[in-house]
Amino acid sequence: MHVRTKIASGVAACLAAATLTMATGFESAEASVQALPKAAAAAPATYSATLKQTFDAFDARQGVAVDGKYFYAVNNQTITKHDKVTGKPLLQFVGDSDGPIIHMDSATVVGHKLYAATSNYNVTPEKSSVEVFDTRTMKHIDTFSFGIYRGSLTWLDRHDGAWWAAFANYDKPPAGSTEPYGKTDNTQIVKLDDHFQVTQSWTLPQELLDKVRPMSNSGGSWGPDGRLWITGHDYDEAYVMDVPSEGSDLRWVATVKIPNVEGQAIAWDRSTRSPELWTIKRSTDQVLVFKAPYTSIQDPHTQQWKVVGPGHFVQ
């Protein structure tokens, strides 16, 4: 009986020790896994655009739109139609100084219509609308109001059978306030149907939000490469984005330097065989045209998932 007790005690001790060893091993393995640093995301490649042409445009303060024969310089309450070859101003829409149009941020041409992204920046609460003009006469012909919505509408473009737009928000407080104007992190890129109803929305990568803060995304235009090119409020560069295959952040594919540009709205001229990127320089009231290296930009490998079989399952 005494011998059996000793044997049983020994077995129990061995089992306890084995259990402790296994538990310790699992804890060590888990700790080891947790200790592995997360791989840093590769910084987007940087390219440079080449200045091709410059036009004087007295109201090029917010952005520019372009079609086959003309370009349209956008200011807060005016849009001026210019001859695309000579730069000569031809017609101008002038809004009333007391509104209701107080801040046109950008514009895009679809057919014979000019669609202007409009907001009440920097008055709170943030209100936005799309104002529509006939490019032949520059008369205001239609409107669509978002009212108080996701932020300030800064740009609008047509791509792949849908409307795309940005609702910007800002860390910078509006005049007379100490509170942020919506907070930059709340900036959204949205896809809309033909009735301007949002069907999907995305955010910007945190690294890009941190770069443009305390301001936000000011311009956007779909490039001939099938990617979305966007700009900040101040910097001489465009950020080339892709719609992700999963998740809610747009993919930051590349940065393209556009020398002497000071942010604001942009427009790809898609009417020619050699598409050009149109921008403004607000400090000198100029429209600048660039040859951008869109054919050179390559997608980085960013797949962040895999499928594994037995022996490789993640616990």
Side-chain angles (χ1 to χ4, degrees):
M1 191 72 175
H2 181 65
V3 173
R4 288 181 179 178
T5 303
K6 290 181 67 177
I7 292 174
S9 299
V11 171
C14 288
L15 288 172
T19 301
L20 179 61
T21 301
M22 290 175 65
T24 304
F26 284 139
E27 290 174 1
S28 299
E30 185 177 346
S32 176
V33 170
Q34 291 177 346
L36 289 175
K38 185 177 179 181
T46 299
Y47 302 80
S48 293
T50 304
L51 181 63
K52 181 180 178 181
Q53 196 168 8
T54 301
F55 296 100
D56 291 330
F58 50 84
D59 54 354
R61 302 290 180 83
Q62 295 297 333
V64 62
V66 61
D67 60 24
K69 294 183 178 180
Y70 310 100
F71 69 86
Y72 307 82
V74 182
N75 201 355
N76 291 317
Q77 295 177 304
T78 63
I79 302 178
T80 304
K81 177 180 178 179
H82 294 252
D83 183 276
K84 195 176 176 182
V85 176
T86 65
K88 179 181 178 181
L90 303 172
L91 286 173
Q92 184 182 55
F93 165 83
V94 182
D96 192 285
S97 60
D98 294 326
I101 297 175
I102 64 172
H103 187 78
M104 290 186 285
D105 292 275
S106 67
T108 189
V109 179
V110 178
H112 290 294
K113 294 181 179 180
L114 181 74
Y115 295 81
T118 307
S119 71
N120 65 335
Y121 183 85
N122 59 4
V123 179
T124 56
E126 295 172 274
K127 301 176 185 179
S128 299
S129 68
V130 177
E131 305 301 335
V132 188
F133 307 85
D134 186 326
T135 56
R136 294 164 292 194
T137 64
M138 292 308 295
K139 291 181 178 180
H140 183 273
I141 57 173
D142 205 357
T143 184
F144 178 87
S145 175
F146 289 101
I148 301 170
Y149 200 45
R150 300 171 181 239
S152 294
L153 182 66
T154 53
W155 62 262
L156 182 76
D157 198 16
R158 186 78 179 173
H159 171 70
D160 198 22
W163 290 105
W164 298 74
F167 285 96
N169 289 279
Y170 307 84
D171 284 348
K172 183 178 179 179
S177 175
T178 59
E179 294 298 318
Y181 195 64
K183 297 183 179 178
T184 299
D185 287 347
N186 291 322
T187 296
Q188 299 178 50
I189 308 298
V190 300
K191 181 180 180 180
L192 311 101
D193 63 20
D194 288 341
H195 304 288
F196 296 113
Q197 302 302 306
V198 173
T199 59
Q200 291 190 77
S201 62
W202 293 267
T203 48
L204 296 177
Q206 192 63 51
E207 297 82 1
L208 184 50
L209 289 167
D210 291 340
K211 185 177 183 63
V212 301
R213 75 173 75 250
M215 301 306 285
S216 188
N217 169 209
S218 289
S221 183
W222 281 91
D225 54 352
R227 300 184 180 99
L228 176 62
W229 292 55
I230 64 175
T231 51
H233 189 270
D234 304 290
Y235 297 114
D236 61 343
E237 53 193 26
Y239 312 109
V240 185
M241 316 298 291
D242 268 345
V243 175
S245 58
E246 66 271 341
S248 295
D249 283 355
L250 292 181
R251 292 174 57 236
W252 185 3
V253 176
T255 298
V256 177
K257 302 295 289 186
I258 39 179
N260 295 316
V261 172
E262 301 160 346
Q264 303 302 298
I266 59 175
W268 272 101
D269 181 3
R270 298 180 285 251
S271 67
T272 66
R273 291 185 178 181
S274 300
E276 298 165 334
L277 183 62
W278 289 61
T279 69
I280 66 165
K281 185 175 182 180
R282 53 185 170 169
S283 64
T284 56
D285 298 334
Q286 290 179 311
V287 169
L288 283 63
V289 186
F290 286 88
K291 182 178 180 181
Y294 63 90
T295 58
S296 301
I297 298 173
Q298 298 182 4
D299 284 328
H301 178 72
T302 57
Q303 181 171 298
Q304 296 180 343
W305 56 270
K306 59 184 177 181
V307 177
V308 298
H312 300 281
F313 294 144
V314 177
Q315 300 292 324

